[in-house]
Amino acid sequence: MTLHAFVDESRRNDQYLLAAAVIDPRNLRPLRKLLTGMLMPGQRELHFKKETPTRRKAIISQLAGADAAVFVYISSCRRGEERARRQSLAQLVDNLVDLQVSRLVLDSREVRDADDKLVIRRVLGERSADTALVYEHLDSTQDALMWIADAAAWCYGAGGDWQRRIGPLLTKVVDLRDVR
């Protein structure tokens, strides 16, 4: 079975969060329809940082039953945000290969996308030659499925009730803060 992963990030103080929504291809279209159906008039994307608390709660309530598995990777930014991202992304890619994910879509950071590509190529180069993972960067307005990862990373980073609300979507949380 092929799976697709959609990735976004969030930062809370010294904590860097990278979230991946892993989705079966049969669920891609229904989930995109669900997400785009939540847009307000004139809105091009759901971005949790910009949503009101009431809207966040409504969105999470609808996502709670979504057929997606969300993985969250937490790294420390004490030695720099880019280092934290590289650490999280490397672990994510390694895990996605184990899950036999075939497509990885990351939220574009424009000029820094090249850094991601280097990390991904390094990890894939350390794995078997039969790895079928393809990857690309897109703007978050280009694929609604990245919004799931955005919501999960934001909620997990916010902690408390927000973390509890996103709990039904979380499959795995990987804490890399003490890993060198």
Side-chain angles (χ1 to χ4, degrees):
M1 176 193 318
T2 63
L3 297 169
H4 296 234
F6 300 86
V7 176
D8 202 358
E9 66 182 340
S10 185
R11 180 169 176 176
R12 297 282 177 150
N13 303 315
D14 273 354
Q15 189 170 263
Y16 184 86
L17 300 112
L18 191 71
V22 178
I23 303 169
D24 183 295
R26 293 173 292 201
N27 299 319
L28 297 174
R29 182 171 286 151
L31 283 174
R32 282 188 183 108
K33 185 176 180 180
L34 171 72
L35 289 157
T36 56
M38 289 188 252
L39 291 173
M40 301 294 285
Q43 194 176 23
R44 296 183 60 217
E45 68 177 322
L46 296 178
H47 194 293
F48 255 56
K49 186 176 180 179
K50 298 176 184 175
E51 300 292 344
T52 66
T54 301
R55 281 269 298 151
R56 287 181 192 133
K57 289 176 185 174
I59 292 165
I60 295 169
S61 292
Q62 289 190 51
L63 286 178
D67 206 354
V70 176
F71 297 76
V72 174
Y73 297 80
I74 308 165
S75 293
S76 171
C77 292
R78 278 179 267 136
R79 299 175 95 189
E81 185 174 312
E82 283 304 308
R83 181 182 174 129
R85 181 175 178 92
R86 286 191 303 270
Q87 181 183 36
S88 294
L89 183 58
Q91 186 63 57
L92 166 66
V93 171
D94 200 47
N95 293 156
L96 294 179
V97 170
D98 290 341
L99 292 170
Q100 297 181 325
V101 170
S102 61
R103 181 173 179 239
L104 169 60
V105 179
L106 300 107
D107 188 19
S108 178
R109 300 179 311 141
E110 299 174 3
V111 297
R112 292 187 293 181
D113 292 352
D115 297 334
D116 289 349
K117 291 175 184 177
L118 288 173
V119 171
I120 295 167
R121 282 195 293 263
R122 181 183 54 79
V123 173
L124 293 179
E126 294 170 357
R127 300 295 303 241
S128 79
D130 64 349
T131 300
L133 181 68
V134 296
Y135 52 93
E136 64 182 322
H137 288 85
L138 297 176
D139 184 86
S140 59
T141 60
Q142 292 180 280
D143 198 321
L145 296 173
M146 285 187 281
W147 307 343
I148 298 171
D150 174 70
W154 189 95
C155 289
Y156 196 87
D161 188 50
W162 293 111
Q163 199 172 92
R164 181 194 61 77
R165 287 175 183 274
I166 204 68
L169 279 177
L170 296 179
T171 297
K172 186 175 186 177
V173 176
V174 179
D175 191 338
L176 301 167
R177 288 175 285 194
D178 291 329
V179 177
R180 297 261 175 227

